Amino acid sequence: AVCSMGTSTSRLYSVLAKTLSSGAVSQPQDCLEQLDPARLDPIDPKDLLEECQVVLQKRPPRFQRSFVSLKKSAAGNHRPIRVMQWNILAQALGEGKDNFVQCPMEALKWEERKCLILEEILAYKPDILCLQEVDHYFDTFEPLLSRLGYQCTFFPKPWSPCLDVERNNGPDGCALFFLKERFELVSSANIRLTAMKLKTNQVAIAQTLKCSDSGRLLCIAVTHLKARTGWERFRSAQGCDLLQNLKSITQGAEIPLIVCGDFNAEPTEEVYRDFSTSSLNLNSAYKLLSPDGQSEPPYTTWKIRPSGECRHTLDYIWYSQHALNVNSALGLLTEEQIGPNRLPSFNYPSDHLSLVCDFSFNQDPDRLL
């Protein structure tokens, strides 16, 4: 494959779209060295957004979602930190395993679906981006997001189910991105989660960042726990292992913490209770959207499989409530917006909704600990 690269965004994106649309692992390998993000020019986000919109011009327009203000104007002098959590749906699983019976295969075409994913990211402009089910990291997300100014980290599952799918693009895993203009990386840990003293197929990334404008430290973690009914105790064990790791990394909650993830667990599960009662003093940000501030959203994923309709709350943004304030959170899609065929769709690229929150540092973090 020819991977010559022009300096304009248009040529960049056109080449990426053509080169990577096949989804075959073998074809892009020769291009990856030439697409080394360290040697590529920055991209203007507006230009990339226009590129995506050109590709998507035959699709319905993006869903409009609004931020809900959760706190009166913060006393701090520093701009909020926007964090985005999203299970983007691995391409190999969407096409080959997940069996979304109401979603046309045409809606899952990677060359268009990746533009929907990028459009969502570009629309909300997160300072920190946490993704799960990333199986196009090296050929799409790292080359593009690094040119948008993000530092990028990827940790694949040891035995990714994507590898069972013919013409897959490699294993899926968790990915963490942060804007280099806003943060400096202090430390980074790739964590393979254990359960009952056994290493599992689920992973996490935890990074300690130093905020450029305030000088404050912040630990950000991303994870994706074991799926399916019947694995509740296993998820709880994985969650406990992650919490133990995070206690060490944050020096027992001395460093403020945000944990993003697809926990594959409803709020009734033990792993949810483990996080909500941890000594790290964590709260779930999206509870604050409820009238009493105590209830999770009715759903963060909504799909139809051969076994029937699945509507669950599985995705969370946990935060150190003594050290951080949630200024605002992005409202979820309504049932009317999602539509009768549910997700994914021509409008929306994943079966999970993105969660986005704006955080600020508490001026007196020790007061509530």
Side-chain angles (χ1 to χ4, degrees):
V2 177
C3 297
S4 59
M5 187 62 65
T7 56
S8 74
T9 306
S10 178
R11 294 216 21 222
L12 162 91
Y13 204 76
S14 298
V15 169
L16 274 178
K18 290 173 185 173
T19 306
L20 306 174
S21 60
S22 71
V25 177
S26 57
Q27 292 187 3
Q29 294 304 313
D30 294 337
C31 309
L32 290 181
E33 287 188 24
Q34 295 181 41
L35 295 177
D36 178 2
R39 298 203 301 267
L40 297 177
D41 296 329
I43 306 171
D44 186 325
K46 292 179 181 176
D47 291 340
L48 183 55
L49 184 58
E50 286 178 10
E51 286 279 346
C52 291
Q53 289 167 345
V54 169
V55 174
L56 298 170
Q57 58 189 334
K58 293 184 180 178
R59 291 205 179 206
R62 256 187 83 252
F63 291 128
Q64 295 304 306
R65 299 164 66 185
S66 300
F67 280 89
V68 179
S69 180
L70 298 170
K71 189 178 186 301
K72 293 178 182 176
S73 56
N77 300 320
H78 306 294
R79 55 189 166 135
I81 297 167
R82 177 162 290 183
V83 177
M84 184 174 188
Q85 146 62 28
W86 199 12
N87 178 332
I88 61 172
L89 174 62
Q91 184 63 21
L93 301 184
E95 287 187 310
K97 282 202 165 206
D98 279 343
N99 219 347
F100 303 116
V101 293
Q102 296 294 98
C103 178
M105 285 300 292
E106 190 181 351
L108 296 172
K109 287 167 53 178
W110 178 242
E111 51 266 42
E112 294 182 10
R113 197 172 77 84
K114 71 179 173 186
C115 290
L116 278 177
I117 295 169
L118 290 166
E119 188 181 41
E120 181 97 343
I121 294 168
L122 290 164
Y124 300 121
K125 303 173 186 169
D127 300 302
I128 298 170
L129 172 63
C130 296
L131 301 179
Q132 299 86 36
E133 291 200 21
V134 179
D135 63 346
H136 276 273
Y137 174 80
F138 292 105
D139 60 30
T140 300
F141 294 104
E142 185 193 35
L144 289 175
L145 291 176
S146 64
R147 295 184 69 178
L148 291 169
Y150 289 92
Q151 185 155 326
C152 313
T153 305
F154 176 63
F155 192 24
K157 294 174 185 170
W159 312 297
S160 167
C162 292
L163 299 177
D164 296 333
V165 178
E166 190 177 355
R167 294 177 60 80
N168 66 76
N169 201 65
D172 77 300
C174 292
L176 198 161
F177 309 84
F178 65 84
L179 283 177
K180 291 185 285 186
E181 69 171 23
R182 293 216 62 188
F183 305 99
E184 174 191 341
L185 181 63
V186 175
S187 66
S188 184
N190 287 354
I191 303 165
R192 184 172 171 187
L193 298 175
T194 62
M196 298 94 173
K197 299 185 179 179
L198 298 173
K199 291 186 181 295
T200 73
N201 194 35
Q202 280 64 48
V203 300
I205 304 168
Q207 296 188 333
T208 302
L209 310 177
K210 183 177 181 180
C211 300
S212 303
D213 51 0
S214 68
R216 299 278 296 270
L217 293 180
L218 173 68
C219 179
I220 180 79
V222 55
T223 194
H224 188 186
L225 302 188
K226 173 67 181 170
R228 296 193 178 85
T229 304
W231 292 84
E232 292 81 4
R233 288 185 62 200
F234 195 84
R235 279 191 286 275
S236 177
Q238 289 182 325
C240 288
D241 182 49
L242 179 56
L243 285 168
Q244 283 300 120
N245 276 278
L246 294 174
K247 284 173 189 173
S248 173
I249 292 168
T250 63
Q251 300 162 28
E254 283 290 314
I255 299 171
L257 171 66
I258 296 174
V259 185
C260 295
D262 174 357
F263 279 60
N264 276 307
E266 291 274 11
T268 52
E269 275 199 31
E270 188 177 349
V271 66
Y272 182 94
R273 293 193 294 276
D274 292 338
F275 268 72
S276 60
T277 59
S278 162
S279 62
L280 291 172
N281 196 25
L282 300 173
N283 193 20
S284 173
Y286 264 72
K287 278 167 51 176
L288 302 179
L289 285 180
S290 65
D292 61 359
Q294 300 299 314
S295 306
E296 291 290 351
Y299 51 84
T300 62
T301 179
W302 202 341
K303 66 203 94 176
I304 301 175
R305 286 183 165 143
S307 56
E309 196 158 340
C310 307
R311 191 184 88 147
H312 300 292
T313 300
L314 306 177
D315 307 271
Y316 306 95
I317 300 179
W318 296 92
Y319 69 101
S320 301
Q321 57 187 333
H322 60 284
L324 297 166
N325 301 310
V326 185
N327 297 0
S328 61
L330 183 64
L332 299 173
L333 292 176
T334 65
E335 181 176 357
E336 183 181 15
Q337 285 177 308
I338 290 172
N341 293 331
R342 308 315 184 198
L343 304 173
S345 66
F346 282 107
N347 300 72
Y348 200 78
S350 177
D351 54 326
H352 290 252
L353 299 176
S354 63
L355 308 181
V356 186
C357 290
D358 289 335
F359 290 94
S360 60
F361 287 103
N362 192 321
Q363 298 307 300
D364 186 11
D366 296 323
R367 181 172 54 85
L368 297 175
L369 188 58

